[in-house]
Amino acid sequence: KNLMRIGSLLIGLIAALAIAAPAAAEFPDKPIRIMAPYAPGGNIDVTARIIAEKLKDVLGVTVLVENKAGASGMIGSDVIARSAPDGYNLLVSANSLVAVPAIYGNAPYDWRTAFQPISHIQAVPAVLVVPPNSPIKTLADFIALGKDGKFTVADSGVGTTNHIAIELLSEATGTKYTLVHYKGSGQAHLDLIAGQVPAQVDQVNAAIGHVKAGKMRAIAVSSDKRVPQLPDVPTMKESGVKGLENFTFSTYTGLFAPARLPPEILAKLNAAMVATL
């Protein structure tokens, strides 16, 4: 009888707890943060904001973009690497997620194990831009200025894809430039437009608004074929410069979460990205 009474009490207790316990919230039920680990205005920031705006509609919650620049993206990336793997802390990053730690020689995280990839986003070609009144008219003009290493070119930080693109361009043509590493493309844009730097290598999607507005002039793009939005801008392959006959370069961007993201949340975020893209 005592055992039966205890059993009945336990059953009653379990039933009471089941009634009292709130149902597990279905992901997502609160705002999601997307880290853009560079200053506003560059490819990663632009991409993160477009994705956030669309994901908001797909997932039905607010999606906020946070900029935390420094160490060519490693500071902001580390914030996400250390965040809870619950789907509410995401990262937009690019080739530089791998390249920057290799160039710096150290990183606060191991990119191989710190992040869970969610979705590829896009591939973006590089573009060489100059102020509207620049005497540089062609890529051949730019290459001719790179013989003594004194000509200044801006990029978005050590180890970023813009930096790598300049280095590969230099290697292919036997040229050398003085590189100015910014904490992202935004400030470099302002300095280029103001004439503080004479040239910049950037991603097309970050620079195209300024090009269309006439604030900067595009000299060449690193895509295999001309970019439809800039039909008058030749590819680097078309430049006629020796060494660039087959030169192409792209920045690949993707969405990441901290490692150990639960499979069901990964699946939901991936499906949302498929719908978004």
Side-chain angles (χ1 to χ4, degrees):
K1 288 183 178 179
N2 287 337
L3 286 174
M4 290 177 64
R5 188 176 296 114
I6 291 171
S8 297
L9 288 171
L10 285 174
I11 291 170
L13 179 61
I14 291 169
L17 288 173
I19 293 170
E26 184 178 350
F27 175 85
D29 70 337
K30 62 182 181 180
I32 293 172
R33 168 178 66 168
I34 296 181
M35 176 66 71
Y38 295 92
N43 169 42
I44 296 298
D45 176 63
V46 169
T47 300
R49 293 183 187 282
I50 293 172
I51 290 300
E53 182 64 27
K54 300 297 183 182
L55 273 179
K56 170 178 66 69
D57 297 333
V58 174
L59 291 172
V61 296
T62 301
V63 182
L64 304 168
V65 175
E66 178 180 339
N67 297 96
K68 190 174 287 293
S72 296
M74 287 197 293
I75 291 176
S77 299
D78 187 47
V79 170
I80 299 304
R82 297 175 185 272
S83 296
D86 55 11
Y88 294 101
N89 301 284
L90 307 177
L91 171 72
V92 170
S93 194
N95 318 42
S96 49
L97 189 70
V98 174
V100 168
I103 291 171
Y104 272 82
N106 67 316
Y109 50 81
D110 182 347
W111 63 267
R112 299 169 184 83
T113 57
F115 302 102
Q116 168 62 59
I118 295 169
S119 170
H120 174 240
I121 298 175
Q122 63 186 357
V124 186
V127 60
L128 173 67
V129 288
V130 298
N133 60 353
S134 171
I136 299 172
K137 304 298 182 184
T138 66
L139 188 59
D141 294 340
F142 174 76
I143 297 301
L145 293 168
K147 300 304 181 184
D148 60 8
K150 295 180 180 179
F151 189 78
T152 302
V153 183
D155 64 43
S156 54
V158 174
T160 60
T161 50
N162 296 331
H163 175 201
I164 299 298
I166 300 170
E167 297 289 3
L168 291 173
L169 193 66
S170 297
E171 183 178 53
T173 57
T175 51
K176 183 72 176 175
Y177 301 93
T178 296
L179 304 184
V180 182
H181 304 299
Y182 286 80
K183 289 185 177 181
S185 296
Q187 186 59 50
H189 288 166
L190 297 177
D191 283 0
L192 181 84
I193 292 168
Q196 299 299 313
V197 289
Q200 179 185 357
V201 170
D202 199 5
Q203 287 94 0
V204 167
N205 63 338
I208 193 168
H210 295 305
V211 173
K212 293 278 193 181
K215 295 180 180 179
M216 56 178 67
R217 184 157 41 83
I219 299 298
V221 291
S222 66
S223 46
D224 184 55
K225 297 178 180 179
R226 292 195 182 194
V227 175
Q229 294 86 348
L230 298 172
D232 298 329
V233 180
T235 66
M236 294 182 180
K237 291 168 56 176
E238 294 179 86
S239 65
V241 174
K242 184 179 179 181
L244 299 181
E245 296 85 357
N246 297 301
F247 187 88
T248 60
F249 184 83
S250 290
T251 296
Y252 290 86
T253 56
L255 186 67
F256 299 83
R260 299 180 300 281
L261 184 71
E264 63 275 12
I265 295 180
L266 171 60
K268 191 157 190 176
L269 285 170
N270 177 263
M273 283 299 294
V274 170
T276 292
L277 293 170

